[in-house]
Amino acid sequence: MTENRRTIGIVGARGHTGAELIRLVARHPALELAFVSSRELDGQRVREHVGEFAGELRYEDLSHEAVAHKGADVVVLALPNGKAGGIVAAIDAVKPDTIVVDLSADFRFDERWYYGLPELTRAGYAGQRRISNPGCYATAMQLAIAPLKAELVAPPACFGVSGYSGAGSTPSDRNDPDKLRDNLIPYALADHVHEREVTRQLGVPVEFMPHVAPHFRGITMTVNLWLRQSTTRDAIKERYADFYAGEPLLRVVDEAPWVSAIAGHHHAEIGGFALAPGGKRVVVVATLDNLLKGAATQAMQNINRALGFDEGEGIPRP
């Protein structure tokens, strides 16, 4: 390992988010990839699957205990929901000072874990070694709602559309291009885990209706907000601009942003700000890449902060 570099291991590296994390680590000036765990890709060179990564490192099929004994400074868990607990327990037993970043929903409701949506929760980070990464939809919803949270008189209604990479790499109807062609698939229309996540984090009830579309990556979140007092469009836009002033990975735009413009980029965009007659109903649109700002990029922001680096280290700016 190069002197002064910190080590990171990724568990569940076969998936789309794992590959994006590998790309971010490859460009990071102070991080070195120590291991990548994948049962399906065991023995294969990482560079054969992620062209941006150079070197001879190979995927390994590691047990929970083997992951813990690797001794990496940071371990990122990029696993489906319900799979993180055993690995966390092994790390707790062997090397509890390891920084663990979990990308699943397993610890988002656990008060012992820091919930890492930097633009909204940065002030709550106090050196915690256990970090829960927010959901992709949940990130878009919270960024769209937060500036007006104090003015709400009704639950925000959130219509979300994701590219099919959000359904993961395990085959299903929701990531089958043939079934998605010329189609839009609604699912989990009430009590989605991200609906509960946002309700918990913002402290206001939220209604969320997710859909998956034929494009590969990117989320469009259209949010309907009822306000206590009438206002103007200019005042709403100014409120968002002030709220997110100085945030390098968040851009407030005038028109409703397009998902095609955000794919492959590391920031989120918020715009539209359509005001209904009477001035008490506003519709806001947020877009982000579900694999990047909705997952890998946000994880890197959290890793950087936990290691004492600049939060944006190694992350391309918009």
Side-chain angles (χ1 to χ4, degrees):
M1 184 184 77
T2 307
E3 189 177 357
N4 297 325
R5 288 166 73 92
R6 308 298 288 275
T7 57
I8 180 170
I10 302 171
V11 181
R14 181 180 73 95
H16 304 308
T17 300
E20 295 294 355
L21 272 167
I22 292 169
R23 293 184 181 99
L24 281 168
V25 173
R27 65 174 292 127
H28 198 291
L31 284 179
E32 188 155 318
L33 195 58
F35 69 87
V36 285
S37 178
S38 170
R39 184 176 63 254
E40 294 87 351
L41 301 180
D42 183 31
Q44 299 180 41
R45 286 186 177 86
V46 173
R47 69 173 188 234
E48 293 171 358
H49 295 270
V50 182
E52 294 85 347
F53 182 82
E56 294 301 310
L57 190 69
R58 294 175 183 264
Y59 295 94
E60 301 175 82
D61 181 10
L62 299 173
S63 68
H64 298 350
E65 291 71 22
V67 168
H69 281 287
K70 284 283 187 177
D73 295 311
V74 181
V75 173
V76 180
L77 306 179
L79 296 165
N81 293 343
K83 303 291 187 182
I87 299 178
V88 173
I91 293 171
D92 286 344
V94 174
K95 195 174 181 287
D97 62 337
T98 304
I99 296 165
V100 180
V101 180
D102 180 33
L103 272 60
S104 78
D106 290 8
F107 295 98
R108 291 180 195 152
F109 300 87
D110 190 327
E111 293 288 350
R112 297 169 297 178
W113 285 58
Y114 165 69
Y115 181 83
L117 204 173
E119 291 78 8
L120 301 181
T121 70
R122 189 181 289 124
Y125 185 72
Q128 296 93 323
R129 316 294 281 183
R130 301 289 178 266
I131 300 170
S132 181
N133 222 56
C136 51
Y137 278 131
T139 296
M141 280 189 274
Q142 289 176 81
L143 293 175
I145 296 167
L148 290 175
K149 184 181 76 167
E151 310 302 323
L152 298 176
V153 293
C158 306
F159 185 92
V161 180
S162 175
Y164 63 86
S165 59
S169 55
T170 301
S172 72
D173 287 351
R174 288 191 283 121
N175 58 20
D176 184 333
D178 289 332
K179 289 185 172 65
L180 284 165
R181 187 175 297 115
D182 301 322
N183 197 10
L184 185 69
I185 299 177
Y187 67 100
L189 295 174
D191 199 37
H192 189 286
V193 64
H194 290 181
E195 178 179 282
R196 287 181 269 125
E197 178 182 339
V198 175
T199 294
R200 176 185 176 88
Q201 293 298 324
L202 291 184
V204 296
V206 172
E207 299 166 352
F208 173 46
M209 298 148 286
H211 300 69
V212 62
H215 61 276
F216 178 69
R217 60 197 303 158
I219 283 174
T220 297
M221 186 65 63
T222 303
V223 181
N224 188 74
L225 301 163
W226 283 98
L227 308 180
R228 192 181 317 279
Q229 296 181 342
S230 62
T231 186
T232 66
R233 185 182 188 275
D234 286 346
I236 292 293
K237 184 181 177 184
E238 184 178 358
R239 188 178 187 119
Y240 277 78
D242 289 346
F243 193 93
Y244 292 119
E247 292 293 350
L249 295 183
L250 207 147
R251 179 183 290 169
V252 176
V253 298
D254 188 60
E255 299 297 324
W258 288 9
V259 71
S260 59
I262 206 71
H265 295 280
H266 295 265
H267 67 289
E269 295 188 353
I270 302 176
F273 309 117
L275 200 64
K280 290 187 177 182
R281 174 181 167 243
V282 62
V283 180
V284 177
V285 178
T287 60
L288 54 79
D289 188 313
N290 54 296
L291 301 178
L292 296 175
K293 180 55 181 161
T297 302
Q298 193 140 259
M300 187 56 72
Q301 287 179 271
N302 288 321
I303 291 165
N304 280 331
R305 181 161 291 273
L307 290 173
F309 302 145
D310 180 88
E311 190 180 285
E313 192 72 73
I315 300 171
R317 301 295 174 94

